[in-house]
Amino acid sequence: MTRSKKKKGFEIFKLTNRLRQRLSPNHKDDPGFVDDKAIEKADKLIELLCERFSEDMGGDLSVLSEKWLEMRDMPNSPEREEKAQEVFTIAHEIKDISAQCGYSILAYFAENLRDYITHTDLSMEAQRVIIQACVDSITVVHKQGLKDDGGPLADELKAALKKAIEKFS
């Protein structure tokens, strides 16, 4: 019985960049083609969203606070879970829009809220304290117009939230 010896080495495969092809004006009829004008239009919509960010965020925060107040003292029930899901969705949207528009500190607190609102193994007291700390932080950050992660107020708010999380988790 003879075994053939395989040569050791490399084989080079040339892969086609399908995304580049889709973006090429020569492939306008191909599925997945993205027209430059559509990209420009989307960029303008994002720019407009960010220009109105503070005003729109005020409305979102009002709804967030209202939903949180409705669910805060409810016992565990399907209705409370439904309210928690609404708060989760609002927090998720705040996180996404904040990050898109360069408000990273607001995105940070919204992400924490989103992550803790449906955290099932927290006690009711722990959930109240952590979520209230997140809602309060989001409100302060918005009212103060803080945009990035720096500054003493942002550090103080992060430390307070961290302390609440450590104490009650």
Side-chain angles (χ1 to χ4, degrees), residues 46-47 49-61 64 89-114 134 137-143 145-149:
I46 292 170
E47 189 177 309
L49 173 77
C50 292
E51 285 175 8
R52 296 185 347 207
F53 176 82
S54 187
E55 180 183 321
D56 292 347
M57 189 57 57
D60 290 344
L61 289 176
L64 175 68
T89 301
I90 295 166
H92 185 73
E93 290 173 0
I94 289 172
K95 178 199 75 75
D96 286 349
I97 294 168
S98 299
Q100 179 72 40
C101 295
Y103 290 83
S104 57
I105 188 68
L106 194 53
Y108 170 83
F109 289 116
E111 183 174 18
N112 276 284
L113 173 58
R114 181 200 66 191
C134 291
S137 297
I138 290 169
T139 303
V140 169
V141 165
H142 177 256
K143 285 185 178 182
L146 300 179
K147 196 163 184 173
D148 58 21
D149 286 336

Side-chain angles (χ1 to χ4, degrees), residues 68 71 76 80-89 91 110-132 134 161 164-166 168-169:
W68 167 236
M71 76 164 276
N76 279 331
R80 188 175 197 280
E81 289 176 25
E82 183 180 315
K83 297 287 183 200
Q85 187 59 48
E86 291 174 17
V87 172
F88 173 92
T89 301
E111 183 174 18
N112 276 284
L113 173 58
R114 181 200 66 191
D115 292 347
Y116 279 96
I117 193 70
T118 55
H119 205 281
T120 55
D121 53 348
L122 290 175
S123 70
M124 290 295 282
E125 180 188 3
Q127 201 177 50
R128 279 189 202 103
V129 171
I130 293 170
I131 292 169
Q132 188 65 57
C134 291
L161 179 60
I165 290 169
E166 287 172 354
F168 289 97
S169 289

